[in-house]
Amino acid sequence: MIKFKLNGKSVTYEGDSSKPLLWFVREDAELTGSKFGCGVAMCGACTMHLNGNPVRACSTPISMVDGGSVTTIEGLESKTAKAVQTAWQDLDVVQCGYCQSGQIMSAVALLEKNNKPTDEDINAAMDGNLCRCATYHRIRKAIHNASKSLAKEA
Amino acid sequence: MNFSRFVPQKQNLSRREFLKVSSLAAGAGFAIGSVPLVAGEATPAVQQGLGHFIKVTSDSLVTVVIKHLDKGQGVTTGLTAIVAEEMDADWSQMRWEFAPADATKYNNLFFGPVQGTGGSTAIANSWMQLRQAGAAAKHMMVKAAAKRWQVAPAEVTVAEGKIKHKSGKTLSFGDVASDVAKMTAPEKPNLKDPKDFKLIGSNIPRIDSPEKTKGKANYTLDVNQPGMLKAVIIHPPLFGATIKSLDKSEALKMKGVKAVVQTPRGVGIVADSYWTATQARQVVKIDWDESAAEKRGSKELWKSYKTMAREEGQVVRNDGDVTKAFKEAAKTINLEFEFPYLAHSAMEPMNCAVQIKEGQCDIWTGSQIPTVDQGVAASVVGLTPDKVNIHTQFAGGSFGRRAVPNADFVLDAVLIAKLSGLDAPINLQWSREDDMQAGYYRPMTYQEMKASFDDKGELSGWHQRVVSQSILRGTPFAGMIQGPLDMTLVEGGHNLPYAMDNIKVDGHEASVGVPVLWWRSVGHTHNAYSTEVFLDEVARTMGKDPVQFRLERLKEHPRHAGVLKLAAEKAGWGKKLPKNKAQGVAVHESFSSFVAEVAEVTVNDDGTYSVDKIVCAVDCGIAITPDVIKAQMEGGIGYGLGSCMSEAVTLTDGKVDQANFYNYFPMRMSKMPEIEVHIVQSGESPTGVGEPGTPPAGPAVANALRKFLKKPLTKLPFGDRLDLA
């Protein structure tokens, strides 16, 4: 039996241990904010945090999260997360919105580790998250804005 | 989608535009006849209460029924704003919901009797319809309040969601909702003078931002009806291949697998979860019959296109005497362009949920043409279209992909539901590989551009030849082809705005077994590129500045000239730049909107390059939601630029070479330029912005990169490294 924390709550899973985390979260736990985009960790739409690090849940076998702690877009509640989501809304970053849960998860993970990212840092952290609406221009601005608002609070 | 020819060039609302889609009836197997409709006029003259676009509840919330699909372009915000403006509602009380599939009420006024989203028409065709609906609602609310108060309606005003009498008394929208429901709507309500607009033109926040920022927005992927099963489908490995034999025994033994069905389009696998269906897919054995399949690869297709280009095609424009101009020319130049197939690759791979039960067919999907999907489903299931209910979901991008004349992925889902005999809801999800390899691409296109110059060095002739596939021919939309050539091949080329005495445009429709479709801005994707890059080459030959040269020939086209001047001014056109940087420009009209873009690039000694900035100017008439317009320009530029820099679908022996984002390369964060958008102030009727930002991006960048190259970039995509030798 696989046991882990999902958004702070204990969950268990029995069955095919190669099943990707994404499908457990979406179909078993019925949290649908994380999306399926490629299935091979090339687009980032499924990004979740595993023990605080961003992972591509579509390519993370559920066996890998045993004993760990997983956070999805539904479980975001840190100060950083609030700053990011506020910045996202202030700038109306979203278009179709499908990739945005993943974008936000990657952005939050970046800012949790580096609260003053440069453009180069943003490229490195965000290049794995595709957006076909090409909202990159606003994502970059939103990350800088979130960084500034966090600095003000501190 | 290309319905552009049905959009009045000037949005003259009294002009009657007729669209006959009788071929739809035959092709899609359902009867909608050929009902001519008048573009730009509200549909029913007499209606009870608020009609079918607006709902007001007792809590004073105003819900606008959105007849278009929101696939990111922000139409839920724009259409809601139009109604709110005419009702004088407060933005905070506005809500929205997607309309059901019902073309009698929710047809696109530019598509005739078809409900649909495409050709950047959502705002343009709804503009007067929703203004009238909103104005009628306000008129009735004023009348109802006046009656309550026993005063003259002239003494009643509405502002910020409150109905007020000059005495100071107020009522909310909810207070009069039940009275209004019993009233008859005025046929011609007074519309606001645009100078009194408060919401329109202001920076209204996107209405869908909060839910999309919190992961709460629902897409087809997320549809979860009680007892819902999941399905995947195996399509043929080659276009046109069919199933010789199928062995589903191993798959059926797997726990959780509910059905494996052979459909005319492939093999569907239904299971209790997506993962189970995906596992079962691996053990289904299919022997394919490839005898009738398209087996040519890109190499063979280029060869065949080039052979076709030796002959004259269907001539769609022939001003002056091009033959004479070339015969008498002192100098000629020519370029040959190669544009590959492109995948839409929306972030949400195609999907559709279906339940066939008790004489009804329910469909949950994001559909750009619900009327077609509804009709096709009805004919497959054996129901009348009114028994097919489409529950529209947000689409995770589309760019034209969710508007397929044969219903495509909707047809897949309906066939699986029907043939499995299951009455549970089934959600079909394509994988990324399915999405990339099952067809419907921007057509691969070959173009030859030629120009002649007289003995004074003046441009004397312009000739464009296009070889590509027809998007419309052989589909239920073939009725849209009005001449010898499907104009999606040449749009943006045949109507080149520049003043020239001798100009000829002709085209060949190539017959290829690869399915093609409208891809964000359709034919403009390649015609804006070829014409604007070649125009720069002509200007260079004549020793003229590209902006000046264009302006000299755009005297009859003030809106083209207007955006060009604005973009050039804001970008500081001609400013001094370091040696490794350059600017390039392109201007193009598509879907009745005008866009100019100035690109600034850096090129390094090793041939690597970056697009640093794009300054964009757009004229789309009255700007209803300026920030959404800016976002569409930004996104359109990223989409267009990505395709020109790094995207290509190629074939080897008929098989698509690309499978996923490890060998198909859309724009990513690190390549995205800084973008600055300027909107031209205009009193013209609003036109679309979903597509028009895309066409000029590639050529503006190519024209900037040209300064470092021996010859222009004519073979797309550019790739990561330029050939500086």
Side-chain angles (χ1 to χ4, degrees):
Chain A
M1 188 169 69
I2 290 160
K3 212 175 150 183
F4 63 100
K5 286 236 156 93
L6 178 58
N7 296 334
K9 286 181 199 145
S10 280
V11 291
T12 56
Y13 169 79
E14 272 180 285
D16 177 4
S17 63
S18 66
K19 175 167 165 161
L21 173 63
L22 175 66
W23 297 107
F24 171 83
V25 169
R26 288 190 51 84
E27 296 189 341
D28 300 6
E30 297 191 2
L31 297 174
T32 57
S34 315
K35 305 303 181 196
F36 164 69
C38 70
V40 294
M42 290 299 294
C43 82
C46 64
T47 306
M48 299 176 189
H49 296 172
L50 172 58
N51 303 328
N53 298 311
V55 293
R56 311 300 184 209
C58 74
S59 305
T60 305
I62 194 157
S63 56
M64 262 183 68
V65 305
D66 195 16
S69 172
V70 173
T71 307
T72 69
I73 183 89
E74 291 89 348
L76 281 185
E77 48 189 25
S78 70
K79 211 193 260 179
T80 308
K82 282 205 180 97
V84 167
Q85 284 172 311
T86 304
W88 240 253
Q89 277 193 49
D90 286 349
L91 284 175
D92 273 345
V93 168
V94 305
Q95 289 187 29
C96 91
Y98 192 82
C99 73
Q100 297 293 347
S101 295
Q103 302 280 1
I104 287 167
M105 295 308 285
S106 289
V108 171
L110 165 66
L111 286 166
E112 299 272 12
K113 294 207 163 52
N114 174 358
N115 58 16
K116 266 187 96 182
T118 62
D119 278 341
E120 283 311 306
D121 296 335
I122 292 173
N123 288 348
M126 305 301 294
D127 240 16
N129 287 83
L130 271 181
C131 173
R132 282 299 265 158
C133 303
T135 62
Y136 304 119
H137 176 69
R138 292 189 187 212
I139 289 174
R140 183 184 300 281
K141 244 192 222 168
I143 293 174
H144 283 308
N145 286 0
S147 159
K148 276 179 223 154
S149 79
L150 286 165
K152 247 183 242 167
E153 272 177 52
Chain B
M1 284 179 69
N2 175 50
F3 288 95
S4 55
R5 80 192 56 102
F6 302 114
V7 183
Q9 285 302 300
K10 240 177 128 60
Q11 298 285 318
N12 180 347
L13 295 166
S14 66
R15 178 174 160 189
R16 297 172 83 84
E17 289 284 318
F18 298 100
L19 161 60
K20 285 181 184 166
V21 287
S22 50
S23 60
L24 259 176
F30 61 101
I32 50 174
S34 61
V35 187
L37 270 182
V38 183
E41 288 175 16
T43 353
V46 180
Q47 62 182 29
Q48 192 72 15
L50 293 169
H52 44 261
F53 285 108
I54 303 171
K55 297 174 184 176
V56 178
T57 39
S58 57
D59 53 6
S60 287
L61 294 180
V62 179
T63 301
V64 179
V65 181
I66 306 292
K67 66 178 184 176
H68 291 287
L69 175 65
D70 202 319
K71 44 201 154 66
Q73 82 280 40
V75 75
T76 48
T77 304
L79 298 183
T80 303
I82 296 171
V83 171
E85 179 69 68
E86 287 291 348
M87 285 181 83
D88 277 311
D90 189 78
W91 185 245
S92 64
Q93 75 192 117
M94 299 306 293
R95 300 291 183 273
W96 67 273
E97 65 187 34
F98 284 124
D102 182 351
T104 65
K105 295 189 179 80
Y106 300 114
N107 61 308
N108 183 321
L109 300 181
F110 294 165
F111 295 1
V114 175
Q115 186 177 350
T117 306
S120 297
T121 59
I123 290 285
N125 96 95
S126 303
W127 171 239
M128 290 306 283
Q129 186 175 45
L130 290 185
R131 284 184 73 192
Q132 283 170 5
K138 178 176 156 185
H139 176 93
M140 287 186 283
M141 292 193 302
V142 166
K143 224 167 124 182
K147 199 170 166 200
R148 282 261 191 112
W149 289 326
Q150 296 292 308
V151 299
E155 296 172 10
V156 178
T157 56
V158 183
E160 287 156 6
K162 286 264 176 254
I163 309 165
K164 297 174 186 167
H165 182 247
K166 61 178 185 182
S167 64
K169 283 185 286 201
T170 66
L171 282 168
S172 71
F173 288 9
D175 292 336
V176 297
S178 58
D179 297 354
V180 167
K182 291 174 216 130
M183 295 166 78
T184 301
E187 274 186 48
K188 283 191 177 156
N190 286 330
L191 300 181
K192 270 189 172 177
D193 186 325
K195 74 172 168 34
D196 298 326
F197 285 160
K198 291 189 183 77
L199 279 170
I200 287 176
S202 74
N203 275 328
I204 306 165
R206 267 187 85 114
I207 205 160
D208 55 356
S209 250
E211 58 185 320
K212 287 181 173 175
T213 303
K214 291 174 184 135
K216 287 184 180 156
N218 277 319
Y219 303 82
T220 305
L221 178 76
D222 308 324
V223 172
N224 189 16
Q225 294 293 307
M228 185 161 260
L229 301 171
K230 301 294 166 87
V232 298
I233 186 161
I234 306 169
H235 290 119
L238 295 182
F239 300 112
T242 52
I243 296 169
K244 207 186 278 173
S245 69
L246 164 68
D247 177 0
K248 51 189 178 184
S249 55
E250 287 299 310
L252 284 171
K253 277 184 216 155
M254 289 177 71
K255 193 175 161 242
V257 173
K258 306 289 180 188
V260 178
V261 293
Q262 180 176 338
T263 85
R265 294 169 49 88
V267 175
I269 298 131
V270 186
D272 58 0
S273 77
Y274 177 77
W275 185 244
T276 308
T278 304
Q279 299 295 99
R281 174 184 190 149
Q282 314 297 328
V283 298
V284 170
K285 293 185 193 90
I286 306 167
D287 197 9
W288 299 97
D289 177 356
E290 296 180 348
S291 54
E294 175 63 77
K295 292 189 204 67
R296 285 177 291 176
S298 300
K299 219 188 268 173
E300 291 77 27
L301 291 175
W302 286 128
K303 205 175 151 199
S304 128
Y305 281 24
K306 286 174 191 175
T307 306
M308 287 175 87
R310 286 189 208 135
E311 308 287 327
E312 181 164 282
Q314 298 292 343
V315 178
V316 290
R317 181 169 177 186
N318 200 358
D319 299 353
D321 191 338
V322 169
T323 313
K324 187 163 170 263
F326 276 87
K327 204 186 282 171
E328 294 171 359
K331 183 185 168 86
T332 62
I333 59 170
N334 63 292
L335 289 176
E336 289 151 18
F337 290 86
E338 293 179 21
F339 303 93
Y341 287 114
L342 295 174
H344 301 76
S345 58
M347 290 307 299
E348 182 180 25
M350 294 304 105
N351 47 15
C352 176
V354 176
Q355 181 171 31
I356 303 168
K357 194 180 177 183
E358 293 162 3
Q360 300 272 329
C361 176
D362 283 90
I363 294 177
W364 296 264
T365 194
S367 169
Q368 280 189 241
I369 328 180
T371 306
V372 164
D373 294 332
Q374 186 181 42
V376 169
S379 92
V380 168
V381 183
L383 296 169
T384 50
D386 61 306
K387 297 282 188 279
V388 176
N389 314 305
I390 299 187
H391 311 276
T392 298
Q393 308 295 312
F394 274 126
S398 178
F399 316 108
R401 186 62 183 82
R402 287 179 177 270
V404 196
N406 75 352
D408 190 42
F409 56 94
V410 174
L411 179 55
D412 269 348
V414 173
L415 284 167
I416 291 169
K418 164 94 176 161
L419 294 168
S420 70
L422 297 163
D423 67 0
I426 299 170
N427 200 346
L428 167 71
Q429 179 63 51
W430 286 14
S431 69
R432 173 58 55 195
E433 291 78 7
D434 298 330
D435 192 276
M436 201 156 283
Q437 302 193 316
Y440 293 110
Y441 309 114
R442 191 284 300 272
M444 172 179 155
T445 303
Y446 178 73
Q447 294 207 18
E448 281 182 9
M449 306 288 309
K450 291 179 181 161
S452 64
F453 302 87
D454 63 19
D455 49 13
K456 292 184 202 83
E458 278 297 317
L459 174 67
S460 60
W462 172 281
H463 185 190
Q464 178 182 17
R465 177 163 295 160
V466 180
V467 183
S468 189
Q469 269 172 270
S470 167
I471 292 170
L472 299 166
R473 206 171 294 283
T475 78
F477 288 161
M480 287 165 68
I481 304 172
Q482 287 165 337
L485 188 75
D486 176 350
M487 297 300 273
T488 63
L489 271 80
V490 289
E491 61 183 350
H494 78 93
N495 51 347
L496 193 76
Y498 301 107
M500 293 178 191
D501 293 334
N502 306 303
I503 174 167
K504 184 170 174 175
V505 180
D506 68 275
H508 290 279
E509 289 179 18
S511 182
V512 185
V514 178
V516 293
L517 194 62
W518 16 68
W519 184 103
R520 198 174 194 168
S521 82
V522 200
H524 298 279
T525 56
H526 48 87
N527 288 309
Y529 189 92
S530 59
T531 57
E532 286 296 288
V533 166
F534 193 57
L535 200 83
D536 252 40
E537 216 47 29
V538 168
R540 168 184 284 263
T541 305
M542 295 171 70
K544 297 235 181 190
D545 173 76
V547 170
Q548 218 38 54
F549 179 70
R550 283 173 172 81
L551 287 174
E552 281 166 16
R553 287 167 191 270
L554 287 172
K555 287 181 183 138
E556 304 293 315
H557 295 274
R559 295 180 77 182
H560 285 83
V563 290
L564 180 56
K565 277 185 217 159
L566 183 59
E569 179 206 318
K570 297 288 183 187
W573 177 258
K575 69 184 174 188
K576 204 161 165 45
L577 289 167
K579 256 193 182 155
N580 61 340
K581 289 183 190 293
Q583 285 179 315
V585 68
V587 58
H588 193 76
E589 175 198 356
S590 59
F591 311 98
S592 306
S593 290
F594 304 79
V595 180
E597 290 166 21
V598 174
E600 196 173 309
V601 301
T602 302
V603 175
N604 307 309
D605 291 340
D606 62 356
T608 56
Y609 64 97
S610 60
V611 183
D612 305 324
K613 188 170 181 180
I614 300 233
V615 176
C616 167
V618 52
D619 176 354
C620 56
I622 293 171
I624 296 171
T625 48
D627 194 57
V628 173
I629 293 167
K630 286 183 181 175
Q632 283 311 294
M633 291 302 120
E634 293 160 11
I637 288 167
Y639 199 76
L641 209 48
S643 74
C644 291
M645 289 165 71
S646 50
E647 291 174 38
V649 167
T650 57
L651 300 118
T652 306
D653 300 330
K655 189 170 170 20
V656 174
D657 298 322
Q658 290 71 27
N660 206 316
F661 295 126
Y662 47 74
N663 52 10
Y664 190 83
F665 306 113
M667 168 74 71
R668 289 186 185 264
M669 171 69 87
S670 56
K671 300 276 185 195
M672 186 74 179
E674 188 192 338
I675 297 177
E676 192 182 296
V677 180
H678 301 276
I679 302 172
V680 172
Q681 292 299 315
S682 168
E684 301 276 343
S685 288
T687 45
V689 292
E691 295 166 279
T694 298
V701 168
N703 287 339
L705 295 173
R706 172 70 175 93
K707 316 225 159 115
F708 303 91
L709 304 169
K710 297 263 167 8
K711 48 186 199 284
L713 291 161
T714 52
K715 197 171 172 174
L716 274 67
F718 310 152
D720 290 339
R721 205 176 276 255
L722 305 169
D723 180 8
L724 300 180

